[in-house]
Amino acid sequence: MNGLIAALLRDFAAIQTSKQRRWGYQRAAAAVLALEEPIESLIQPDGTLRKIPNIGPSSSRVILEVLQTGTSPTIERAIADSGHVADVERRRDLQGNFLSRSQVLAALRNRNLVGPQIADYRGDLQMHSTFSDGSQTLEDIVRAGIDRGYRFCGVTDHSYGLPIARGVSMEKLAQQHREIDALNRKFRGRFRLIKGIEANILPDGSVDMLPEELAQLELVVAAPHSSLRVAADQTSRMVAAVRTQGVHILGHPRGRKYGARPGVTADWDRVFAAANAARVAIEIDGDPSRQDVDYQLAKRAVDAGCLFALDSDAHSTGELQFVETAIAHARLAGVPTDRVVNCWETERLLDWLRSRSR
Ligand SMILES: [Zn+2]
């Protein structure tokens, strides 16, 4: 219900002509998506909605309408009158299988689901530091990781091929590796930082770093950041990416964004079969606006025998909790805990990383 209402409020926002109202409904949609409880539990005995920050009176009226009738005649009428019906329908296609915060918490609590739990999770393998577009220092990552009960984290700043995200040069990467070595000495036996990178998958499926550069890294997440709005099939691009020597994780495989872009179109069963053959892990990216791959697609990767990486894609220590969204999708997909590389002992993880790098 939270997801349905948030989607309707976003539709409503999209057809507003006043910038201020558009912004107001967007903010209300975000507030509903972030609720920790089902919105129906916030109805008071007199039938009104309890006060929720960032949700104004006209959003409240719409919410009550949906709770009473399952839809919002007000919004549907406004869409029909707006002349933007096709636009709204296109956007609705881009919201498939996104979980609201309340659904994430329900999946984490649901004991009938198999799959990893937060307590099984030993470290995050995709995140960004101040070396590229993140706001967390390397030491912040270590301390936040220890606070969360982790034993390791992979630092995966953007490669130099993505200047828009302040991709790191090879010189800066060398400096980062010296800092990582120092932190690993300081926290020896307690925590291990892993030298990683998020490399771009180019249109031909190769990654935007040279083999001798990849060889300097312990962890390579290869992810698509271009051609994410084209309808043409890109199976061969993604298959080539997972077959690339030195790649460990296929990061946010589709590159979709909530309500904004569909991402890569591919025959995913073929991609997953190739990933499994290469022992490359399929990522579930827990950034709430990505949720990529989602539980439905993840189920097909389970059937293909794939390994999984459940990552936050955090750009600040506060975002490390995004991984809960990834864990929720894994539980809904029935991913066996032993196939989640983040749940492995540190040595087993490092062995797997080294076996792919050779
Ligand atoms: Zn990325």
Side-chain angles (χ1 to χ4, degrees), residues 41-91:
S41 70
L42 303 181
I43 300 284
Q44 306 177 108
D46 67 355
T48 60
L49 196 62
R50 211 169 75 200
K51 183 92 191 82
I52 307 168
N54 291 332
I55 295 183
S58 74
S59 294
S60 282
R61 271 197 301 277
V62 163
I63 291 168
L64 288 173
E65 212 176 48
V66 181
L67 290 176
Q68 281 154 11
T69 68
T71 179
S72 169
T74 305
I75 293 180
E76 297 300 345
R77 212 175 311 120
I79 292 169
D81 293 345
S82 71
H84 295 291
V85 176
D87 256 12
V88 169
E89 278 172 2
R90 186 184 52 79
R91 287 167 37 85

